[in-house]
Amino acid sequence: MKKILLMVVAAFFLIGCMDSKASDAVENYLNQYRNLSDSVITDLDELTMDQNLSEDQRGTYTDIMKKQYQDLQYEIVEEEYNGDKATVTAKITVYDLYKVQEDADTYMNDNMEEFYDENEVYDNDKYLEYKLKQMKDNTKTISYTITFNVIKKDNKWIVEQPDEETLEKIHGIYNYELES
């Protein structure tokens, strides 16, 4: 019985590999964000280390981005093939952190005195705390349509490194006002 089960499972994997689609690679790529894969967490750690944040602020920012990734929603809209190359179009929905940050900047500029220390000097940490709280409390989302380039190597579809604009959309920080 075990041998038959093993053969069926092996056949399933072989058939699954032969029938894999470019969209499967994109789903895997996006699911790595949703599932907080080791590589995503490593990249997030590197990202937060490059920010001018205190240890507590870094922790808050990391939590915000983890929530962003875990709550990312996507739908494969279209896939087109040209030999060993493909494009896969997906619609993603993420928290609109760009708008939150813009609103925080506007609020700071209109209410600068709220971010002064006891000596009436601007305290950037107070502003960062405010902005991070706004980001953490945000529930508004935005949707983007993204086209991923996918190539077939060794009979396996692989997502090519997305450009900066695509990554900003996944992170929810893309400046969509530039498109207006």
Side-chain angles (χ1 to χ4, degrees):
M1 185 67 166
K2 284 185 180 180
K3 282 186 177 182
I4 294 173
L5 183 59
L6 244 158
M7 289 172 53
V8 170
V9 170
F12 174 75
F13 282 119
L14 285 175
I15 292 168
C17 290
M18 289 187 291
D19 289 340
S20 71
K21 303 179 291 187
S23 61
D24 294 339
V26 172
E27 288 185 15
N28 182 45
Y29 179 82
L30 293 172
N31 283 335
Q32 287 193 34
Y33 279 98
R34 291 174 67 181
N35 298 326
L36 301 176
S37 73
D38 289 342
S39 62
V40 167
I41 294 300
T42 298
D43 289 346
L44 179 58
D45 288 343
E46 289 174 12
L47 173 72
T48 59
M49 293 306 278
D50 291 342
Q51 306 297 315
N52 188 20
L53 301 171
S54 70
E55 195 63 37
D56 286 345
Q57 292 166 343
R58 196 176 346 271
T60 301
Y61 186 70
T62 297
D63 291 344
I64 291 165
M65 294 312 297
K66 284 180 177 179
K67 180 181 176 203
Q68 175 76 294
Y69 299 156
Q70 289 176 309
D71 292 351
L72 178 146
Q73 299 295 313
Y74 68 86
E75 171 188 359
I76 302 298
V77 177
E78 179 180 29
E79 56 188 322
E80 294 181 13
Y81 293 86
N82 184 6
D84 286 348
K85 295 182 179 183
T87 56
V88 177
T89 304
K91 179 180 176 185
I92 69 165
T93 303
V94 294
Y95 294 115
D96 189 357
L97 298 179
Y98 169 77
K99 177 79 167 120
V100 173
Q101 292 179 77
E102 287 298 302
D103 289 349
D105 286 348
T106 300
Y107 183 83
M108 182 207 43
N109 289 328
D110 293 345
N111 301 282
M112 187 65 85
E113 65 282 350
E114 287 186 34
F115 303 101
Y116 288 165
D117 64 14
E118 62 279 349
N119 297 321
E120 303 285 324
V121 176
Y122 173 74
D123 184 346
N124 193 54
D125 280 342
K126 283 186 177 185
Y127 169 67
L128 289 174
E129 293 292 332
Y130 171 79
K131 181 164 77 169
L132 288 169
K133 181 178 181 343
Q134 299 307 305
M135 292 169 70
K136 187 174 183 176
D137 294 345
N138 178 55
T139 58
K140 293 181 181 165
T141 61
I142 188 162
S143 295
Y144 298 108
T145 301
I146 299 173
T147 300
F148 292 92
N149 294 315
V150 186
I151 57 172
K152 195 172 200 177
K153 284 188 178 177
D154 299 326
N155 237 9
K156 183 178 179 182
W157 289 102
I158 301 169
V159 175
E160 291 186 326
Q161 176 62 40
D163 61 15
E164 187 174 332
E165 180 179 304
T166 297
L167 293 173
E168 287 177 354
K169 288 177 179 179
I170 292 170
H171 290 96
I173 59 170
Y174 175 68
N175 182 354
Y176 46 81
E177 292 176 348
L178 292 176
E179 295 177 357
S180 300

